[in-house]
Every structure is written in C-alpha cells, then in structure tokens.
Amino acid sequence: MFKDERFKGLTTESLKRDFISGITVGIVAIPLGMAFAIASGVKPEYGLYTTVIAGIMVALFGGSRYQIAGPTGAFIPILLAIVLEYGYEDLLIAGLLAGIMLIMMGLFKLGGLIKFIPRPVTIGFTSGIAVIIFSGQIGDFLGLEGLEKKQYFHENMLELGNQLPTINMYSMLTASIGLLVLIIIPKIFPRIPVLLFALLVPTIIATIFFPEKVATIGSAFGGIPQALPSFQLPAITFDKIIQLWQPAFVIAMLGGIESLLSAVVSDGMTGKRHHSNRELVGQGIANVVTPFFGGIPATGAIARTATNIKAGAVSPVSGLVQGGFVFLTILLLAPYAASIPLASMAPILMVVSYNMSEMKSFLHIIKLKNSDSLVLVTTFLLTVFINLTVAVQFGLLMAAILFIKRMSEVLAVKEVIPSLTKENNIGEEAVEDSGNCSQLSFYTVAGPLFFGAADKFESIITRSINKRPQVLILKMKYVSLLDATGATNLSALVKDFKQIGGTILISEVNENVLPILKTSGIYSLIGEEHFFQRSTDAVDYALQRINIKKCSRCNRCSDNACQVFVPSNKIKQISS
C-alpha cells in the first residue's frame, strides 16, 4: 500500500489532517449511506456497509488521492428498478458484474473514453435521476401509509395520489424541521456537518414531543445490527449473468462516469492529477468486494470528495479513516439509529436531488434549440418514464446518429476555377455550373470523407463524370479523415472514370489520408505519377500531357491550354 505514490511523503501533520478530514466525511456519509439505501429499496444498514467497504477499497486501490466512495444518489433509480424486478440478491450479483466490468475497463485503459459521452446525455439522465429521487421522497415527507413503490414514475405518482388521504401531520412537521435545518444552518454555521444535524434535530424533537407518531428506521426495518454481515457468496449462475448483464453495464458506466467526474473535480480543487484507469480498477475492486458483505453498488461521491478536500485531506488515508469511523459508529451507536424518523431523511434526499439536477446546464442546453436539446430532452424523459438503462442506450445512439449527420454536412465538395496566386500557386474561385469546362473538372474536397458523407461525395463527383471530361482533378488537402466506406466509394469512382477513358489526378493529399489511399489500393489504381504535392503541377500535367481539344461548348480552349482553368499569363508560360 505504502509503495503507492499517493501515500508518499506522509508526515505526522499530514496524518493528523487526514484523520480530521476522514472523521468529518464519515459524519456526512452516515446519513447519506442510510438514506440512499432506503431510497434504493434496501435496508439502511446495507448503505452503511457499502460506505465502509467501498470507501476503504477505493482509498487503497483507486487512482485519486482524495476520492471518497460509497452509495450515491445517481444509482438510486437503477438499483430500485433491479430490486423491484429481480430482488435484493440479484442486486448483489449485478453489482459484482458491474465491478468486474469496471476492472476490465481500467485494465484495457478505457478511462479516457468515458469523457467522450456527450454532455446532453449525462445532463439528461442526471436531471431525470434527480426528478425520480425527489418524487420518491414525497411519500416519506408526507408520512403516507401503505405506499407501495412501483417500477415506473407515472405508477408512483398515481400511488401517491391514491394515498394522499393518509397524510401524517407529524411526519410533515418532522420533515419540515429537517428541511429548515438544511437551508438555514449552512448560512449561519457553514462548517457544521449540516446533514448530521438535519438528521439529529428532527429525531430528537420527534422522540421528545411526539414519540411513536412517525415511522422510524426501527418500525420500518427493525433497526440496524451492531456488526458487519458475515462473508457470503452470491448465488451466481449463467442464467443470472445473462439476465443481469445489461443493468450491470449501466451500473458500471454510471459508476465510471461518476467516479471520474468526481476525480476531475478534486483535481481542479487541489491541482493534483488522478490516474483514470487506476481509478476504474479501484472502483471495480470495491464493487466486487462489497456484495460479499451485503453492500450495494458504489462510486466516487462528488460532494463527499469535495468535503474531504475542504476538511484538509492530504492522502487516501482520509478515506481509510472515513471507513473506519463509520464502522465504529455501527458497532457503538447502531441501536440508536432505530429512533431516526424516515421523514427526517426525505428532505436530505430532496436537497441532494436538487443539487445534482444541474438545472442551469439543463436550461442552457434547452435554449440552444438544436440537436443537443433533442438528445437532452429525450434522455431526460426516458430516464423518468421508462428507466435509466433505456435512456442511456437510446441517448448515446441518438447522439451518435445526430453527430454523424452533422459531420456529413461538414464535407464540402466544390467545383472551382483555379487561378494563380502571387506565390505562383493555384487559388480557387467558385464557378456556376454553366461556366464549367466540359473537358477538365477541378474539385476541392474538404472535411471527413467517411460513411456518413460518402454518398454525398459520390453523387457530386458522379455528376462531373457524367459530363465525360478528359481529366478530373481532386484537391484533397482539407480531407481530414478517410474511412473504409469513403475509400470504397472513391475507388469505385476511379474505376468508373477510367472505364470511360478519363484520367484522375490527386493533389495536395493530407498526410493522414495518404497511408489509407495506399493500403486500400487506390494509390496504385490511380498511379503514383498522378499524385501531386501542388495543384499547380496537377493542372500543368493535365494541360501538357492530356489531349484537350478546342471546346465546342465555351469556345475558349486552345490546342494546348484551357483559358477557363488557367489565366492568360499561365497559358503563355505553358506554351513557351
């Protein structure tokens, strides 16, 4: 462990700072761990187990000095959906599979690829998750009785409406007190762990003034054991793996995104740099180990990581201290947790959901009124009304399709009249179709020539081929990309043009594209002598080596030069 560079340079002073910050984060993590577990459809102690084990594993094996891992709000919808459909045991298997996937992502160095997930997709599902979390706490805030959690958002809203007559005024009062604490205390005492106070103050008031009037952890779940559960192996079968790989993949992707985003935030706050692939491996190990002790999926928590940094953390030792502190709290104070009202946890999760909603970013993208807005709204609605799995898959697919469409529009294939510049190179001036020369065509191709734009390129050049010019010059200086489809279409055009007796000349090929032309066989098909570093040389070659006759269409061609393509001074130069 101590060979890890993250642990290097530790001193007595730095260990003291890590100890203080670890306890500070532990105080914050306890109410969140229980609240996230309850919202995910499992017992509150499972959230605490996750906080202990995942926090320690990520501190030992992760890629960031300051990362604090544990259950997070982002996981709530997917975990709740798995519990409702498959049960708690299968949730452990899904978490284990997700951990293996994260380890594989890290080993195959995929940490850098997660950043390519479009922001409208991440904002869309994050905002959708926030809506689900917030709406899921309304029942506990109001103290509704007999409320059953459903799989879909609209079903839960109907269930809330049906149970509204069972409102418990004591629960509303308890939750309101907690909400006031969350709003007021940070403004007056910004350094106080407000989440713990938001849990303790309503609990004390409810216990003293109206005991047994509100639902508590004890009445709903039977309290919290004073120990970690014994090691147990989930009943993994091949059928379970096939059944759960999709939700497990979503957990892995969401966990990877959350953990790396948290690590990036910590980098910005400290000036340090995390190791993304190692971070994925650390998160994966945490999610592989945690299910053996009954824990739910975990990831890096942005709020707790930021709290860790602000409290003065120096190294991952603070994460180890945080896990140890929560473990000691379970051993010593677990029986007292039975008195915590469920209503006191509702405002905590409501505030968490509001903070994670990224409302400003959401509204900003909406105002753009472009394809990003469409991806955002679609991902958001699918997250809320269907599920996170479908939303992420469809959002990524939709973003990819719209991106391909935009990239295909970038490709420009323009027929031009070359003219000499002061440097004796060929410049370009666009011409109308009526002014084109029927014997020599010159096109500039700019942008990516890939599968999304190949048809556009082919249709434009085919129109030129149909006019049967003797020479076709393609200036490819600005072609930034050539994929297999683009190469296939270009090869077909070359063959078609050669069959009618025409000659294709290629000028100024981008250095990134030339190797592809060679490996695809297009270079040899066209002929090495027909590739030119300057467009001027390509035109010279066409005028001197190709038999261009007098043009009956425009009557401007001489026997050996075309005035449409070359100014008079160049004609004299060529003729001489």
Side-chain angles (χ1 to χ4, degrees):
M1 177 183 73
F2 290 100
K3 292 182 180 179
D4 188 335
E5 63 178 11
R6 298 176 303 144
F7 291 92
K8 287 182 178 180
L10 293 179
T11 63
T12 303
E13 177 61 27
S14 63
L15 287 174
K16 179 181 177 181
R17 292 174 61 184
D18 281 332
F19 185 78
I20 294 173
S21 59
I23 292 177
T24 302
V25 177
I27 292 172
V28 173
I30 289 170
L32 288 178
M34 291 189 294
F36 289 147
I38 293 172
S40 299
V42 300
K43 294 181 179 180
E45 59 262 34
Y46 297 146
L48 295 177
Y49 302 156
T50 305
T51 301
V52 173
I53 298 170
I56 291 175
M57 291 295 103
V58 169
L60 289 174
F61 303 108
S64 170
R65 289 175 177 267
Y66 311 98
Q67 186 80 281
I68 299 296
T72 65
F75 278 149
I76 289 176
I78 186 66
L79 302 190
L80 179 60
I82 294 173
V83 171
L84 292 176
E85 187 170 353
Y86 303 108
Y88 168 67
E89 291 295 330
D90 284 356
L91 173 62
L92 299 182
I93 297 174
L96 177 60
L97 294 176
I100 295 173
M101 292 177 185
L102 282 166
I103 292 174
M104 297 304 293
M105 288 179 189
L107 293 178
F108 284 101
K109 302 186 184 303
L110 300 180
L113 295 180
I114 292 180
K115 66 184 179 182
F116 291 109
I117 296 178
R119 185 161 174 77
V121 174
T122 57
I123 296 295
F125 73 67
T126 301
S127 299
I129 289 170
V131 170
I132 294 173
I133 295 173
F134 189 92
S135 62
Q137 300 311 305
I138 295 175
D140 285 339
F141 194 101
L142 300 177
L144 303 182
E145 298 178 4
L147 196 66
E148 294 184 13
K149 290 185 177 180
K150 305 291 184 179
Q151 185 173 359
Y152 296 106
F153 177 79
H154 68 280
E155 293 176 339
N156 284 310
M157 291 301 97
L158 290 174
E159 181 71 6
L160 284 174
N162 293 334
Q163 300 301 326
L164 274 179
T166 66
I167 288 179
N168 184 329
M169 299 305 296
Y170 294 105
S171 290
M172 285 187 63
L173 177 60
T174 302
S176 298
I177 292 171
L179 184 60
L180 288 174
V181 170
L182 287 167
I183 295 173
I184 296 174
I185 291 295
K187 296 179 179 179
I188 303 175
F189 307 105
R191 291 188 173 275
I192 287 181
V194 65
L195 294 180
L196 186 62
F197 270 74
L199 200 65
L200 292 178
V201 172
T203 298
I204 294 171
I205 291 175
T207 302
I208 295 175
F209 294 101
F210 39 90
E212 299 183 2
K213 294 294 186 180
V214 296
T216 63
I217 288 179
S219 64
F221 301 101
I224 295 177
Q226 282 184 275
L228 287 177
S230 58
F231 180 91
Q232 56 181 356
L233 185 67
I236 304 175
T237 64
F238 181 75
D239 290 338
K240 292 290 186 182
I241 293 174
I242 297 299
Q243 187 179 51
L244 296 170
W245 78 266
Q246 281 189 310
F249 180 72
V250 174
I251 292 173
M253 289 298 295
L254 191 58
I257 293 170
E258 286 285 307
S259 62
L260 293 182
L261 180 59
S262 178
V264 169
V265 170
S266 71
D267 288 350
M269 295 178 68
T270 63
K272 302 290 185 179
R273 288 293 175 264
H274 74 282
H275 191 294
S276 59
N277 293 313
R278 180 170 178 171
E279 180 64 25
L280 290 180
V281 171
Q283 295 291 338
I285 292 173
N287 281 286
V288 167
V289 175
T290 301
F292 293 128
F293 297 92
I296 60 179
T299 185
I302 297 176
R304 273 160 278 174
T305 299
T307 301
N308 187 39
I309 295 170
K310 292 177 181 178
V314 176
S315 74
V317 171
S318 62
L320 300 176
V321 173
Q322 181 248 189
F325 177 80
V326 176
F327 177 58
L328 288 176
T329 302
I330 295 173
L331 294 180
L332 300 176
L333 303 176
Y336 299 101
S339 301
I340 297 175
L342 297 181
S344 66
M345 292 189 175
I348 292 176
L349 289 180
M350 285 179 168
V351 170
V352 168
S353 66
Y354 176 79
N355 291 335
M356 71 179 291
S357 66
E358 301 203 50
M359 187 177 298
K360 291 182 179 179
S361 298
F362 188 95
L363 294 176
H364 173 72
I365 296 176
I366 287 291
K367 290 177 181 178
L368 296 177
K369 296 181 180 179
N370 56 13
S371 58
D372 286 338
S373 306
L374 181 61
V375 171
L376 172 75
V377 172
T378 302
T379 306
F380 171 77
L381 293 176
L382 288 175
T383 300
V384 173
F385 291 102
I386 306 297
N387 60 55
L388 188 59
T389 305
V390 173
V392 171
Q393 292 175 345
F394 196 86
L396 289 174
L397 177 62
M398 189 175 183
I401 292 174
L402 291 173
F403 173 76
I404 291 170
K405 182 178 181 297
R406 287 200 298 268
M407 290 299 293
S408 67
E409 294 169 352
V410 170
L411 181 72
V413 183
K414 183 172 64 174
E415 187 167 12
V416 298
I417 291 179
S419 58
L420 287 180
T421 65
K422 292 181 180 180
E423 293 78 19
N424 207 34
N425 292 319
I426 287 185
E428 295 150 10
E429 297 175 1
V431 296
E432 297 180 358
D433 185 66
S434 59
N436 293 347
C437 177
S438 61
Q439 298 186 68
L440 192 155
S441 295
F442 189 109
Y443 284 88
T444 59
V445 186
L449 184 49
F450 72 122
F451 67 92
D455 285 341
K456 176 181 179 181
F457 169 78
E458 185 178 18
S459 62
I460 294 174
I461 301 300
T462 298
R463 288 200 297 269
S464 179
I465 292 177
N466 291 337
K467 297 175 185 177
R468 294 181 176 271
Q470 289 190 44
V471 182
L472 174 64
I473 302 177
L474 299 179
K475 180 178 179 180
M476 300 182 68
K477 179 179 181 180
Y478 306 109
V479 176
S480 55
L481 169 70
L482 179 66
D483 72 351
T485 305
T488 300
N489 284 28
L490 178 58
S491 178
L493 286 170
V494 172
K495 291 176 182 177
D496 290 344
F497 195 55
K498 292 183 72 173
Q499 283 182 356
I500 63 173
T503 300
I504 286 188
L505 307 180
I506 307 294
S507 69
E508 304 182 45
V509 181
N510 188 302
E511 61 181 8
N512 296 323
V513 172
L514 185 59
I516 301 173
L517 292 175
K518 290 182 177 180
T519 55
S520 63
I522 297 175
Y523 189 84
S524 58
L525 180 64
I526 295 175
E528 182 179 359
E529 70 278 8
H530 291 161
F531 280 81
F532 301 88
Q533 292 186 353
R534 299 195 312 164
S535 296
T536 310
D537 297 334
V539 172
D540 284 351
Y541 181 92
L543 296 176
Q544 293 178 4
R545 306 292 179 86
I546 308 299
N547 182 26
I548 299 180
K549 300 178 181 178
K550 187 174 183 179
C551 179
S552 59
R553 180 179 175 188
C554 65
N555 200 32
R556 293 182 65 186
C557 291
S558 64
D559 291 336
N560 63 351
C562 180
Q563 295 181 45
V564 172
F565 285 87
V566 183
S568 57
N569 63 337
K570 184 64 177 175
I571 293 175
K572 293 177 182 178
Q573 179 182 335
I574 294 172
S575 300
S576 61

